Amino acid sequence: MSRPRSEPHRADIQAPGGRLPAAISGVGVLGLVVLVAPLIALAWAAPWSRMWSLLTAPAALSALGLSLAGASLATLAALVLGVPLAAILASGAIRPVRLVRLLVVVPMVMPPVVIGVALLTLLGRRGLVGGYLDDWFDWTPTYTFAAVAIAQLVVAMPFLVVSVEAALRSRNLDAEEAAYTLGASRMTTFWRITVPQIRAGIGAGAVMCFARALGEFGATVTFAGNVEGVTQTMPLAIYLSLQRDDESAIAMAVGLVALSVLVLVAMRGRWLPALT
């Protein structure tokens, strides 16, 4: 009778927090260096003595205001559209659900400039829908603030949908079944029972959506242009400043990093428990 195959030694499979093999630890530290080194270089090159004056320059404040306004509007629209979409995906109400889910997450992996071109072909003056907007209302969203918000919405909303769908799939269904038994309607149950259960997933998705929208560049510059005071968001201002004033570009980059970190820190306890 053959002896059963021996199980791996427990030292080879460590629980979280246990000691890891030196090679794994070394490669992991290298990965950390790859992520952190650019931030260290940015902080090292930052003109700290002029930081306040550079960040409060009219062009920088205008770009920051447009970034915050666009990201906030895009996040609000993503909540209105994305939560129901995530509910559809989680329930399998649309078939084939895998194909629909694939279409939803495509913007996450698609080059942003391609999204910008696609938006131009849809909403541009000669676009599929934009042509009618121009004929009927003498207006198209291209090269306006509306284009900024639309570009940010399309790029960032999938992050919210993925987060909310994951929360919906892991929720406890017993409370919903009890509500149905007591005569509650589907709409009442969704808003009174389901949404409170997944509020952490909604919050985490909204934070990721906002952060992604705040840093959007490719789709915005392609679809909305780079008009100062109209469509020039902070990433666009940074890119433009790199060609004229390195210190201004670095200062705005540091400011954008600080803003992103502040958003994550402010939300980590309530919406992002993984960061606590």
Side-chain angles (χ1 to χ4, degrees):
M1 183 175 180
S2 60
R3 296 178 60 185
R5 184 178 298 177
S6 60
E7 295 183 357
H9 195 274
R10 292 191 62 84
D12 297 331
I13 304 178
Q14 293 290 338
R19 295 187 61 184
L20 291 171
I24 299 297
S25 299
V27 174
V29 170
L30 179 60
L32 179 62
V33 169
V34 169
L35 295 176
V36 174
L39 299 178
I40 295 175
L42 191 63
W44 174 78
W48 294 107
S49 61
R50 300 179 56 211
M51 184 67 70
W52 181 252
S53 62
L54 291 172
L55 288 178
T56 55
L61 289 177
S62 174
L64 177 60
L66 282 170
S67 291
L68 291 174
S72 299
L73 185 58
T75 302
L76 180 60
L79 286 168
V80 173
L81 300 173
V83 173
L85 176 56
I88 289 175
L89 292 175
S91 66
I94 294 182
R95 301 289 181 173
V97 66
R98 290 185 178 179
L99 175 60
V100 177
R101 186 180 294 112
L102 175 64
L103 295 174
V104 169
V105 301
V106 159
M108 298 176 69
V109 297
M110 186 185 299
V113 68
V114 176
I115 297 176
V117 173
L119 287 172
L120 276 176
T121 61
L122 176 67
L123 297 171
R125 192 174 298 276
R126 298 186 183 90
L128 184 63
V129 175
Y132 293 103
L133 293 175
D134 187 43
D135 291 339
W136 295 344
F137 306 104
D138 193 26
W139 177 83
T140 51
T142 50
Y143 307 109
T144 66
F145 174 72
V148 173
I150 292 171
Q152 292 177 338
L153 171 65
V154 174
V155 169
M157 187 169 70
F159 291 86
L160 182 138
V161 174
V162 169
S163 176
V164 175
E165 186 191 359
L168 284 166
R169 289 184 174 276
S170 62
R171 75 188 189 279
N172 186 353
L173 298 176
D174 292 342
E176 295 180 18
E177 293 174 358
Y180 291 143
T181 302
L182 295 173
S185 67
R186 291 184 179 275
M187 181 63 74
T188 299
T189 301
F190 182 79
W191 287 112
R192 296 289 184 87
I193 305 298
T194 305
V195 170
Q197 284 193 77
I198 63 171
R199 62 182 182 275
I202 294 175
V207 170
M208 290 187 292
C209 178
F210 180 83
R212 179 64 186 87
L214 196 64
E216 167 50 33
F217 177 86
T220 304
V221 73
T222 306
F223 180 52
N226 189 6
V227 183
E228 185 175 338
V230 180
T231 65
Q232 188 180 92
T233 58
M234 186 68 91
L236 302 186
I238 292 171
Y239 178 77
L240 190 63
S241 293
L242 276 174
Q243 305 172 38
R244 303 180 306 188
D245 184 355
D246 288 350
E247 287 193 346
S248 178
I250 293 172
M252 286 190 287
V254 170
L256 197 56
V257 170
L259 180 60
S260 301
V261 171
L262 284 175
V263 170
L264 292 176
V265 170
M267 296 298 182
R268 64 172 186 154
R270 184 173 180 83
W271 302 121
L272 300 173
L275 297 180
T276 58

